[in-house]
Amino acid sequence: MKKVKKVPKIFRKKYKEKAFNKKILKRIHIPKEREKVEALFEKNEKDRYVLKGDISQETIKKLKPLAKTIKKNKGLVTKWKAIIVLIIVGSVVFFNFIFKDKLIESFAESGLESLFEAEVEIEKLHLSLFKGILSYESLAIADADKPMFNLVETGRAVLKINMRELAFKRVHIEEIALSEVLWDTPRKSDGSLVEGENGGENTSEKEDSSLMDTLSLNSGDFDYQAIINSQKENLSSLKLLSESNQKIEEAQARWTGILYEKESEVKALSDKVDTVKSISLSSVQSVDEAASLIGEVQSYYPEVEAAKESVVQLNRDFKSEKETLFSMKDSLSYSIDTDMAYLVDTLDITTGDFSSIASDLAEDYVRARWNNYYEYGLKAWNIVQKLQSAENEDKAESRGLNRAAGRTILFPSPDKPSLFIGHAGLTGGDEKQGHLVMDIKSISSEPDKTKDPVSLNLILTKGEQIIVLKGVLDLKTDSPVLFFMTIDVPGNPVALEKGIPVLGINRLTSIADTSLNGTVLYDDDTLVTVLKTELTELDIIQSADDSVISTAVNILFDNTENIELIGEIAITKEGIDSIFFQSDFDTLLQDSLGSYLEDLKSTYTRELKDNLLQYLSPDLEKNEAYSSSLDALGVQSINQISSVNRVKDVLDDKVSELENRGDAIADELKSKAQSEAESLVDKAKDKIKLPGF
Amino acid sequence: MDIVKLYIMIGLFAKLIVALNSNSRPGEMASAIAFGFLLALIPGGNLLWVLLFILAFFLKHNMGSFLLSLALFRLITPLFDSLLSSFGGLILDASFLRGFFTYLYNLPLFSYTNFNNTVVLGAFVAGVVLWTPVFILFVKLVRIYRKTLAPKIAESKIIKALKKVPILSKLTKAVSKLSVAI
């Protein structure tokens, strides 16, 4: 059976005209539908609007959703939205009690991890919104550079936030109490964020290569040969000498062979030419015969000329190579001087200038300590910069990147900074690092709105050592001094465990009273620090020798009650800009030991040079021998030229003799012919009678 | 992510179409669009925007129209930022209002509204002033649509032809169900 649909209740009611318009017609916003509904109603006898009786099931079906929309169009606020808000409020309250702390802890951890780029662990973080207290039981921040160590870890911390100021968009932390602060502590697990990434620890330090640490200053014990042996790889003279010897030896062997061959050639030529000597001039009877013999002798010339040219060229080549080899030998003396300078440097013998031993030690100490602080300072600086860039990104993100920043106009308000930390108390450290108690007051983001400047008090105790630091950071615009601090370290036992090797001191202990003043002026980024240290109760342990230095140092320390050190250090963002120390101890040392050590240095240098030459002497001797051999070969080459010249002279002489013989024969024939002619003329004269005579 | 955004936009557009063709009050749609316009005009990230959003959320109006207008107006509002900033600056610098703004500035929580920013205040005042014209304009537009355009569209040959397409037919039924129209 088909189900009969009922007319919705809203249409079954009887309405006065005003109510009908208000509750029905005005809530139908589609004109066509309104007309349809209006047509379905009629006025009864009581002047009320009622639904007509003959309404079809089809129409009733269409009226149902219409009734729903009419109900829906009632009121200005939607119920389901109110329910959603109630659910949200309920969730927030629930979250506040159950999840709030865990969520904040998780957010804080991830925020700090992105800041420090290393693992961060916070335990039992709790935020009380009503009391304005944020606390946690422990915090550990790993060191990104040394993942197996914590950069810093703290125990319980409590931050008391002024909630009233927070309502004015000002973060005022009235009190921070931080306990059990430790730094550079070992971790149980790797603290790097990326698996396998380990910054590692470079614990191996470059050892001081100064030989003086292992040598006594007593010249009698000084093992020069050991020094030369230990440094032989670095000595250029030794290498040069060895190379030179090898080359000369090779050249000598080669040239001996060449010159021997040439010698044989010259000898053969000489023998050949010697046959010319056997030509007897008396056997030459005619000019033709002489001319023929001259031709024979001259036929040797080309061979002799070629031989001469060859030996001369050979001699030239030999000379050239010899010069090259001997130039190496010449640079040897320069090389020995260079090696000497190197060896003296390696010895690290003081120049005898004792005006800066104590001040140099102080400078080295300060620089070494500074490097540690500078490393921490750089890390802190990087974190601050990251924090600033993150703040700027957040601001840009919150207003939407494509929106203009506009102009923020400030109105008179109580002179309170947007960020203020009233008091931060910090305790921590351990036996190894020292116990730390620190108080910082009045940290402000807008110093001009803060009454007091930032003040810092720190007391660090480590065994018997006490360091007291007091500092004031005044960032107000009219403040002439930006930063001022004093550090007092009274009665501090100090020990120079490595001693002062150059003075034969193995260990030095004393009590130091140090005071330091540091100042940074406004508009100047340089921290100028003046340091004054007085060392008393001086005690030294000397090396077991009876050298003059040891004796002198012993006497000096016996007569010295205290040492005063005064220094000035200028530090900028880039590091130590300048450092200067002076000490009365340096003057005393200079007076008593300076001249002695100056002489000692000269002795060392001289002895070292002798020893070096002695060390090189076998090679030097070999070098001399090879050089002599080469000289001998040179003489041999010159002799060969002479031999060839002598052969040529023989030929020249013979040619000359033959020419003379030819000339003599010619002259003889000529005179004979002339006399015969004259006799014939005379005879003819007699026979011929001239007319008229 | 872009596909998700596109899906959301299509959903919002569908809700707008449904609202246009349903028996909802024209004022509900118009106020949704006017609030979307106001919130699009004001830069986000401050308490003022959050409070206005909560107010808009509580009021009975079409959420589809509200979110769609917010998204669409937000695309063009940065073009008027310099104008809004000048306008805001004019108000904030007015000497006769200085006392009033100083009072507001020193009220708890008021700093979080960023009302002392020229763009925020300029946008807020401009948005409030333009809210009523926008509201009236869209009430009239909805009425015109329902009275003249909607019946014509419903009776047009194209729509009738499109309704015969199976997918579109199903879509129309779904829309009808959603709109609870007769």
Side-chain angles (χ1 to χ4, degrees):
Chain A
M1 194 183 151
K2 203 177 177 184
K3 199 180 172 184
V4 179
K5 285 190 168 84
K6 280 174 79 179
V7 176
K9 198 179 171 183
I10 194 170
F11 295 120
R12 275 187 272 146
K13 287 181 182 175
K14 292 170 186 172
Y15 295 99
K16 282 183 184 173
E17 189 172 356
K18 198 178 171 187
F20 181 65
N21 281 328
K22 190 185 170 188
K23 290 184 178 175
I24 305 288
L25 294 183
K26 277 196 175 177
R27 286 183 189 170
I28 302 170
H29 300 285
I30 296 170
K32 208 176 161 186
E33 302 305 323
R34 194 163 47 231
E35 284 164 16
K36 278 183 186 174
V37 170
E38 207 174 354
L40 291 173
F41 280 83
E42 61 183 3
K43 275 189 179 177
N44 64 7
E45 64 280 2
K46 289 181 181 173
D47 205 26
R48 302 262 172 115
Y49 277 92
V50 289
L51 204 63
K52 288 177 181 172
D54 54 341
I55 293 170
S56 67
Q57 283 294 308
E58 187 65 27
T59 311
I60 293 170
K61 193 184 169 187
K62 285 181 179 178
L63 281 176
K64 270 197 164 179
L66 185 64
K68 274 186 185 175
T69 57
I70 289 169
K71 277 183 187 171
K72 207 180 160 194
N73 286 338
K74 194 179 162 187
L76 280 171
V77 179
T78 323
K79 277 181 192 166
W80 64 266
K81 286 178 183 173
I83 292 164
I84 285 179
V85 170
L86 277 176
I87 290 168
I88 290 169
V89 171
S91 306
V92 167
V93 173
F94 187 68
F95 152 83
N96 188 38
F97 288 106
I98 309 293
F99 298 113
K100 177 196 68 188
D101 292 344
K102 281 280 164 202
L103 272 172
I104 294 173
E105 191 177 296
S106 166
F107 278 131
E109 278 179 349
S110 62
L112 289 170
E113 278 176 357
S114 67
L115 197 64
F116 288 93
E117 291 173 349
E119 221 168 76
V120 174
E121 289 129 26
I122 303 173
E123 276 181 26
K124 293 184 184 171
L125 186 140
H126 175 66
L127 173 70
S128 169
L129 289 168
F130 301 105
K131 290 179 186 170
I133 287 175
L134 176 75
S135 65
Y136 61 75
E137 288 304 313
S138 72
L139 164 76
I141 302 169
D143 191 337
D145 299 329
K146 294 187 288 177
M148 292 310 291
F149 284 82
N150 283 325
L151 188 69
V152 70
E153 67 169 277
T154 78
R156 182 171 167 72
V158 180
L159 282 82
K160 198 166 177 241
I161 303 159
N162 186 326
M163 297 305 280
R164 193 179 176 278
E165 291 297 333
L166 206 60
F168 291 95
K169 216 179 179 179
R170 294 190 285 259
V171 180
H172 282 205
I173 301 170
E174 291 168 354
E175 181 87 31
I176 299 177
L178 208 59
S179 60
E180 295 165 47
V181 179
L182 289 166
W183 53 96
D184 209 25
T185 49
R187 288 173 60 87
K188 285 176 186 169
S189 60
D190 191 326
S192 57
L193 286 178
V194 184
E195 293 248 341
E197 188 185 299
N198 193 327
E201 290 170 72
N202 189 9
T203 49
S204 65
E205 284 177 19
K206 205 177 173 184
E207 291 293 329
D208 188 359
S209 61
S210 170
L211 288 165
M212 285 310 289
D213 285 349
T214 55
L215 295 172
S216 157
L217 277 170
N218 189 327
S219 60
D221 296 340
F222 216 88
D223 191 347
Y224 299 100
Q225 289 299 327
I227 295 168
I228 293 165
N229 268 323
S230 69
Q231 295 295 327
K232 66 181 177 187
E233 291 300 319
N234 301 321
L235 297 180
S236 60
S237 59
L238 194 63
K239 284 179 195 164
L240 187 69
L241 193 55
S242 161
E243 193 185 343
S244 166
N245 281 351
Q246 191 188 344
K247 284 188 175 171
I248 293 175
E249 194 179 1
E250 283 169 10
Q252 189 208 8
R254 195 171 67 255
W255 280 104
T256 305
I258 294 166
L259 291 172
Y260 179 76
E261 268 181 37
K262 194 51 74 180
E263 186 81 41
S264 306
E265 281 175 31
V266 173
K267 180 84 174 51
L269 183 67
S270 176
D271 291 346
K272 204 171 170 184
V273 171
D274 277 350
T275 55
V276 174
K277 288 180 183 174
S278 61
I279 297 169
S280 168
L281 291 174
S282 54
S283 65
V284 179
Q285 295 300 321
S286 66
V287 174
D288 289 342
E289 204 177 337
S292 159
L293 284 169
I294 286 169
E296 194 184 322
V297 172
Q298 281 178 335
S299 70
Y300 289 108
Y301 271 114
E303 201 178 344
V304 172
E305 285 297 329
K308 188 183 175 185
E309 203 175 306
S310 166
V311 288
V312 167
Q313 184 57 45
L314 210 60
N315 183 260
R316 213 176 282 144
D317 292 346
F318 175 79
K319 272 183 180 171
S320 164
E321 190 169 341
K322 190 181 154 191
E323 272 170 24
T324 310
L325 291 170
F326 276 37
S327 69
M328 279 177 82
K329 196 181 159 190
D330 291 341
S331 60
L332 190 63
S333 61
Y334 171 75
S335 183
I336 288 171
D337 289 343
T338 312
D339 285 346
M340 266 310 298
Y342 169 75
L343 285 171
V344 171
D345 276 352
T346 313
L347 281 177
D348 192 22
I349 300 169
T350 167
T351 57
D353 177 11
F354 277 84
S355 61
S356 63
I357 283 196
S359 47
D360 284 351
L361 274 171
E363 187 180 323
D364 289 348
Y365 178 78
V366 168
R367 282 191 191 277
R369 290 294 289 265
W370 166 255
N371 284 340
N372 291 336
Y373 298 136
Y374 191 60
E375 210 173 289
Y376 268 93
L378 275 182
K379 278 181 185 174
W381 181 247
N382 287 339
I383 288 162
V384 169
Q385 282 197 322
K386 265 190 181 181
L387 208 60
Q388 281 176 345
S389 62
E391 267 178 24
N392 292 337
E393 275 171 25
D394 284 350
K395 277 180 186 171
E397 218 167 84
S398 68
R399 67 164 190 270
L401 283 173
N402 53 353
R403 296 303 298 263
R407 192 160 50 93
T408 299
I409 294 167
L410 299 174
F411 294 96
S413 65
D415 275 347
K416 290 181 181 175
S418 56
L419 173 71
F420 179 75
I421 300 171
H423 174 237
L426 190 150
T427 59
D430 56 15
E431 288 299 324
K432 193 183 159 198
Q433 295 173 333
H435 293 282
L436 177 85
V437 179
M438 188 161 79
D439 276 302
I440 308 172
K441 287 178 184 168
S442 296
I443 298 173
S444 166
S445 60
E446 291 160 274
D448 285 327
K449 291 183 179 177
T450 314
K451 188 184 165 192
D452 300 316
V454 182
S455 66
L456 165 77
N457 287 312
L458 181 147
I459 299 171
L460 182 72
T461 49
K462 188 178 177 183
E464 290 173 44
Q465 285 183 24
I466 300 172
I467 297 172
V468 181
L469 185 150
K470 289 179 182 176
V472 175
L473 177 68
D474 195 347
L475 294 161
K476 286 178 187 168
T477 43
D478 58 348
S479 166
V481 178
L482 191 70
F483 177 65
F484 177 75
M485 69 166 179
T486 61
I487 298 176
D488 286 304
V489 192
N492 182 30
V494 289
L496 269 179
E497 296 295 347
K498 286 186 176 178
I500 312 172
V502 77
L503 299 179
I505 297 172
N506 287 346
R507 191 168 187 269
L508 185 149
T509 57
S510 77
I511 300 294
D513 291 312
T514 305
S515 63
L516 181 148
N517 294 328
T519 312
V520 181
L521 297 175
Y522 206 83
D523 292 336
D524 189 1
D525 290 339
T526 310
L527 169 69
V528 180
T529 308
V530 178
L531 182 145
K532 192 178 172 187
T533 297
E534 191 177 357
L535 298 170
T536 53
E537 297 178 35
L538 297 158
D539 190 22
I540 54 168
I541 296 172
Q542 289 183 283
S543 50
D545 64 56
D546 54 354
S547 67
V548 179
I549 285 188
S550 294
T551 313
V553 166
N554 201 13
I555 294 165
L556 183 65
F557 271 88
D558 278 348
N559 295 321
T560 306
E561 284 185 2
N562 57 47
I563 296 171
E564 200 174 85
L565 265 167
I566 297 170
E568 193 175 297
I569 309 154
I571 299 164
T572 63
K573 278 178 193 167
E574 283 74 37
I576 291 178
D577 185 50
S578 68
I579 187 163
F580 167 74
F581 272 97
Q582 68 178 65
S583 169
D584 56 352
F585 184 69
D586 288 333
T587 318
L588 291 169
L589 269 177
Q590 177 67 19
D591 293 346
S592 57
L593 293 174
S595 57
Y596 170 77
L597 280 180
E598 188 66 47
D599 293 344
L600 200 62
K601 187 195 171 188
S602 304
T603 310
Y604 284 161
T605 309
R606 196 172 54 250
E607 289 285 333
L608 200 57
K609 188 165 187 177
D610 290 347
N611 275 271
L612 179 64
L613 290 173
Q614 196 184 330
Y615 186 79
L616 296 173
S617 63
D619 282 328
L620 282 171
E621 282 167 16
K622 208 187 274 181
N623 189 271
E624 279 304 316
Y626 288 144
S627 301
S628 303
S629 304
L630 271 187
D631 285 339
L633 286 172
V635 171
Q636 191 184 347
S637 175
I638 289 164
N639 286 342
Q640 284 177 1
I641 296 169
S642 304
S643 300
V644 175
N645 282 336
R646 273 199 303 278
V647 170
K648 193 169 175 283
D649 290 345
V650 168
L651 290 177
D652 289 343
D653 290 347
K654 191 52 79 183
V655 168
S656 174
E657 282 171 12
L658 286 168
E659 279 174 352
N660 290 338
R661 178 65 189 152
D663 289 345
I665 293 168
D667 289 344
E668 195 182 321
L669 288 171
K670 190 179 169 187
S671 61
K672 196 178 172 183
Q674 195 174 1
S675 62
E676 276 177 10
E678 280 172 359
S679 112
L680 285 169
V681 168
D682 288 341
K683 281 175 186 175
K685 268 181 193 174
D686 293 340
K687 285 176 183 176
I688 301 167
K689 291 201 181 163
L690 294 169
F693 290 93
Chain B
M1 201 64 197
D2 288 341
I3 295 169
V4 175
K5 278 182 185 171
L6 188 71
Y7 180 78
I8 291 168
M9 287 297 279
I10 290 169
L12 292 174
F13 194 73
K15 279 190 176 182
L16 178 72
I17 301 291
V18 166
L20 271 172
N21 294 293
S22 69
N23 183 32
S24 61
R25 276 185 297 195
E28 273 183 26
M29 285 191 69
S31 76
I33 291 166
F35 265 107
F37 169 74
L38 174 63
L39 284 165
L41 217 54
I42 299 168
N46 55 67
L47 189 64
L48 181 67
W49 195 92
V50 175
L51 289 173
L52 284 171
F53 185 85
I54 291 170
L55 177 69
F57 180 78
F58 267 111
L59 289 175
K60 187 185 259 185
H61 53 210
N62 185 269
M63 284 308 282
S65 311
F66 169 63
L67 295 173
L68 192 69
S69 71
L70 175 60
L72 293 176
F73 282 124
R74 216 165 177 76
L75 294 174
I76 53 161
T77 43
L79 299 172
F80 304 102
D81 274 355
S82 60
L83 200 70
L84 294 171
S85 183
S86 306
F87 182 50
L90 210 68
I91 300 166
L92 283 166
D93 289 333
S95 55
F96 68 97
L97 288 170
R98 193 158 180 81
F100 173 64
F101 286 135
T102 306
Y103 172 73
L104 288 184
Y105 193 68
N106 289 292
L107 283 179
L109 297 174
F110 238 84
S111 307
Y112 291 99
T113 62
N114 282 6
F115 80 92
N116 57 331
N117 181 280
T118 52
V119 179
V120 173
L121 191 74
F124 174 67
V125 175
V128 168
V129 170
L130 290 171
W131 193 93
T132 314
V134 172
F135 175 77
I136 293 166
L137 175 73
F138 278 94
V139 164
K140 285 195 172 172
L141 283 175
V142 172
R143 279 184 183 152
I144 290 166
Y145 171 79
R146 283 179 178 170
K147 198 174 180 180
T148 58
L149 278 174
K152 282 179 186 172
I153 290 169
E155 294 302 316
S156 72
K157 286 177 183 174
I158 301 168
I159 296 295
K160 279 180 179 174
L162 283 171
K163 276 183 178 176
K164 285 176 185 171
V165 179
I167 295 172
L168 287 173
S169 160
K170 280 182 185 175
L171 252 170
T172 317
K173 278 179 186 170
V175 167
S176 302
K177 270 188 181 178
L178 271 170
S179 64
V180 210
I182 318 171

